[in-house]
Amino acid sequence: AGELQRMSAGTGIVHAEYNPSETEELNLLQLWFMPRERGLAPSYETGRYDAEQLINTLVPVVTPDGAGQTASIQQDMTIYLGRPEAGRELIFKQEEGRRMFLFNIEGSLSVNGTPMAARDTARIESVSRLTLSADEASFVMLIDLP
């Protein structure tokens, strides 16, 4: 918790994810994105974020240029994390013509009035403003995409 890793396969790598523990459960979310250009050199980056900063706001943790304390990604996209408390709303405004992917990791909330349970996802187009209303404490990931 509180850590992310960014890996770019670029011209090729050998990689595997596994749980080294035989007794503890591993909860891992792995996402794959195409880079804006092919043939980049392989690279790896580990980033950390303060879970307390996610409370009742959306915090960028991955950005195109790695500004601030975010991890960088070779794509025109930003990944946000947030932890709205029960009864709270998060508002996200986006430029016209872009898309969003929303993953409700934990809890339950509604998005512009549509309910989402834990582990639900939504692909959103032609909407430039989202209102995330938490029914209970939740953990969300929002991806701003071209």
Side-chain angles (χ1 to χ4, degrees):
E3 185 175 288
L4 60 93
Q5 297 174 346
R6 192 265 312 143
M7 180 182 70
S8 296
T11 54
I13 59 166
V14 175
H15 177 75
E17 296 286 349
Y18 66 94
N19 183 0
S21 175
E22 293 183 17
T23 59
E24 294 182 37
E25 182 178 301
L26 173 66
N27 196 349
L28 171 72
L29 175 62
Q30 187 175 70
L31 306 167
W32 292 65
F33 302 98
M34 295 299 293
R36 68 176 72 149
E37 67 180 83
R38 295 179 149 274
L40 299 170
S43 62
Y44 175 86
E45 180 179 5
T46 299
R48 296 200 58 76
Y49 58 88
D50 181 353
E52 293 296 314
Q53 290 182 342
L54 305 181
I55 296 172
N56 296 321
T57 192
L58 291 167
V59 175
V61 294
V62 178
T63 60
D65 59 1
Q69 295 184 339
T70 65
S72 64
I73 190 166
Q74 294 293 321
Q75 185 52 270
D76 177 21
M77 59 176 280
T78 301
I79 300 175
Y80 297 87
L81 295 176
R83 288 192 171 275
E85 296 173 311
R88 297 295 296 264
E89 288 186 343
L90 302 182
I91 306 293
F92 183 78
K93 295 178 185 176
Q94 181 186 55
E95 292 178 30
E96 294 286 333
R98 292 184 64 82
R99 300 174 294 151
M100 293 173 264
F101 177 81
L102 183 67
F103 178 32
N104 187 33
I105 300 168
E106 298 172 1
S108 66
L109 51 86
S110 63
V111 180
N112 290 1
T114 301
M116 291 184 72
R119 311 301 273 184
D120 282 352
T121 63
R123 294 178 185 184
I124 303 164
E125 296 180 358
S126 304
V127 174
S128 59
R129 179 186 165 107
L130 288 184
T131 301
L132 310 177
S133 303
D135 301 319
E136 62 184 29
S138 300
F139 183 28
V140 297
M141 177 182 63
L142 184 133
I143 306 174
D144 169 33
L145 299 158

